[in-house]
Amino acid sequence: MLCWRYAILLLFAIVSEAGAIEPSPDDLSVSAERTVDISTQVVKVIVRYELVNSGNQEINSFLHVVHENEHSRLAYITASDSRKDTKLRVSKIEKARADVKKGYVAYKVELLNMIPPSGKAVVTVEYHLVEYLEPFPTKITQADTQFVIYKGNAHVSSIYPVTQETTVVLLPNGKLESHTTVPPTRLDAYKLTYGPYSNQKPFTFVCFFLK
């Protein structure tokens, strides 16, 4: 009798695991709040996602993508369940995929709980970039002022449709010499805000730079 109970439990576990799938780009929509901290030599990027399951099956993971320019300087990446402050498993997708555009590297984030159809989850992804800021000019004298140049995407890189997004760039102390405007753009002291933007397609890319 005990053996049969064990077999039934094992079968249930296998069926439950098989029922949860990784969403296709059409089955998940996201809203994102991104902070890019360039106030130190290590660039810190934090993306807070609200994930909405618009498909008809439960999902237990999603893909976070990093542009190849950032990925070449990637030193650290982690994810957590924002509501329970619990670390989530993050793994790099090694094989090429049709839904990941060339020029991007995908990371699979495994969720703490399955998201049912029409359900939501809130996840935070954080990653750090080293030697990403470019000194300008590269050589200076003692009398000169040296700036740093940051180049990035005004939009959050995503394989999923982005319902709404905002990016806040935290600036170092000192004068902001120049920056790209991608309306709406707002500068407040040491903070530069891009967005909010609504209804962006997957892999929307608008380059911006600041110095």
Side-chain angles (χ1 to χ4, degrees):
M1 189 67 171
L2 182 61
C3 181
W4 277 106
R5 287 181 180 176
Y6 176 78
I8 292 172
L9 288 173
L10 180 60
L11 178 61
F12 177 77
I14 293 173
V15 171
S16 297
E17 185 175 347
I21 62 171
E22 182 182 305
S24 73
D26 295 330
D27 290 338
L28 192 67
S29 62
V30 304
S31 296
E33 297 175 357
R34 178 177 58 163
T35 301
V36 182
D37 186 350
I38 64 169
S39 62
T40 65
Q41 292 182 342
V42 177
V43 176
K44 300 175 183 177
V45 183
I46 299 174
V47 187
R48 183 181 182 274
Y49 291 105
E50 183 179 84
L51 311 171
V52 179
N53 182 357
S54 51
N56 55 17
Q57 290 184 282
E58 292 183 323
I59 58 176
N60 61 359
S61 66
F62 78 103
L63 295 184
H64 169 84
V65 292
V66 180
H67 192 275
E68 61 183 2
N69 292 344
E70 291 188 329
H71 194 264
S72 64
R73 300 297 183 182
L74 184 68
Y76 168 86
I77 185 168
T78 187
S80 60
D81 185 293
S82 300
R83 292 172 179 168
K84 297 187 178 180
D85 196 25
T86 302
K87 294 293 184 182
L88 303 176
R89 183 179 178 183
V90 180
S91 55
K92 182 181 176 183
I93 302 296
E94 299 292 349
K95 294 183 179 180
R97 294 172 48 130
D99 56 355
V100 178
K101 188 176 180 179
K102 185 178 180 181
Y104 293 84
V105 178
Y107 284 83
K108 181 179 180 180
V109 180
E110 298 182 23
L111 303 174
L112 186 63
N113 298 304
M114 295 183 187
I115 308 177
S118 301
K120 298 180 181 180
V122 180
V123 174
T124 298
V125 175
E126 178 175 350
Y127 60 97
H128 297 174
L129 309 174
V130 295
E131 298 182 353
Y132 188 79
L133 300 175
E134 302 175 19
F136 180 84
T138 55
K139 296 181 180 180
I140 60 172
T141 66
Q142 288 185 338
D144 294 330
T145 299
Q146 189 175 50
F147 297 91
V148 293
I149 296 176
Y150 172 85
K151 297 177 182 177
N153 183 7
H155 298 280
V156 175
S157 298
S158 174
I159 76 166
Y160 311 106
V162 180
T163 305
Q164 185 157 324
E165 59 171 323
T166 303
T167 292
V168 175
V169 183
L170 303 180
L171 306 170
N173 294 334
K175 181 181 178 182
L176 180 63
E177 184 77 4
S178 61
H179 67 278
T180 305
T181 298
V182 184
T185 303
R186 185 177 71 254
L187 176 62
D188 299 307
Y190 301 117
K191 182 173 70 173
L192 185 62
T193 302
Y194 287 90
Y197 306 113
S198 301
N199 301 322
Q200 299 299 310
K201 295 180 179 180
F203 297 105
T204 297
F205 188 93
V206 177
C207 183
F208 78 94
F209 81 95
L210 52 90
K211 178 175 69 174

